[in-house]
Amino acid sequence: QGKDSECEPYLRDALDKSRRVLGADHQVTMKAIAAMGKLRFDQSRLAEAEALDLEVLEKRRRVLGDSHPDTLIAVIALGELRVAQKNFADAVSLLAAIETKAKLAFTGGNAPSWANLLKNIGAARAALARVPAEFAAAESDLLQSHEVYLRSRGEQHRDTRAAAQALADLYLAWERAEPGKGFDAKAAAWNEK
């Protein structure tokens, strides 16, 4: 609902109690840390989000292993943070390393997690793209992301709209790199979605 200030005290209380009662490495504690990291990300408090994202990723890798879906989600969250920090090369590195595992892990009702990976790696690749093949790879990621969001969350969901905006941004960058090839029209079409 976007009521960050209202939810924060409850989330902080849940995290504090979980650490105290269940312990630092309990699944519920890790979920609370991840939720606080997401809240900080949504509040644009990226340094605080980074500390929390790194903490939960370290714990999940140690306790659950590198291939567990919760660990993969933690990597995706860190990749999204790296995109927000404009650390695109690190985002691509993080997300490309888990791409195959995530594609297998996130199907059916978990498909939005796969779409999150695709949206963030696509946005990072688009920011780094300099030649047509690099733009095309980013386009493929972002189109897949949009399609998964559209099927799973609907046209008006913020994630679907964010994927559409990432596509518009990609096409604007591609137009600057290769003017006159119609990418500006594609950008305009995605801006209308």
Side-chain angles (χ1 to χ4, degrees):
Q1 294 178 329
K3 298 178 181 178
D4 294 350
S5 61
E6 289 181 38
C7 81
E8 185 171 344
Y10 298 108
L11 186 53
R12 179 164 304 290
D13 185 52
L15 177 56
D16 292 343
K17 286 178 180 173
S18 183
R19 283 186 201 268
R20 190 174 64 252
V21 175
L22 300 173
D25 291 342
H26 193 278
Q27 285 273 49
V28 172
T29 304
M30 288 187 262
K31 286 183 187 290
I33 296 166
M36 184 61 80
K38 176 70 171 131
L39 176 64
R40 293 296 183 240
F41 179 86
D42 290 345
Q43 294 171 327
S44 297
R45 294 165 64 175
L46 300 184
E48 293 172 60
E50 180 177 25
L52 292 160
D53 286 354
L54 289 169
E55 178 184 358
V56 78
L57 178 57
E58 182 278 322
K59 288 179 184 307
R60 285 180 171 170
R61 280 183 169 154
R62 184 172 34 80
V63 174
L64 302 173
D66 287 334
S67 297
H68 192 280
D70 287 349
T71 305
L72 299 175
I73 287 170
V75 174
I76 294 167
L78 185 59
E80 182 175 25
L81 177 73
R82 294 295 185 239
V83 170
Q85 293 171 323
K86 301 192 182 320
N87 188 344
F88 302 116
D90 195 30
V92 170
S93 179
L94 279 166
L95 297 172
I98 65 161
E99 197 167 0
T100 301
K101 291 177 190 174
K103 186 174 185 176
L104 296 172
F106 300 127
T107 60
N110 296 319
S113 293
W114 171 239
N116 289 344
L117 181 144
L118 289 170
K119 176 180 59 98
N120 287 296
I121 200 169
R125 285 178 172 154
L128 297 170
R130 299 294 174 258
V131 297
E134 293 169 346
F135 283 106
E139 177 188 42
S140 176
D141 293 332
L142 293 171
L143 286 170
Q144 288 179 69
S145 173
H146 185 267
E147 181 59 33
V148 172
Y149 283 139
L150 193 59
R151 281 194 319 266
S152 61
R153 299 205 162 154
E155 189 174 12
Q156 295 306 312
H157 193 277
R158 68 182 173 154
D159 291 336
T160 309
R161 291 193 320 264
Q165 184 59 57
L167 279 157
D169 294 344
L170 162 77
Y171 290 126
L172 286 174
W174 206 343
E175 177 67 24
R176 286 190 297 275
E178 293 188 272
K181 294 198 174 180
F183 297 116
D184 54 342
K186 285 187 175 187
W190 281 101
N191 271 325
E192 292 175 9
K193 293 189 184 248

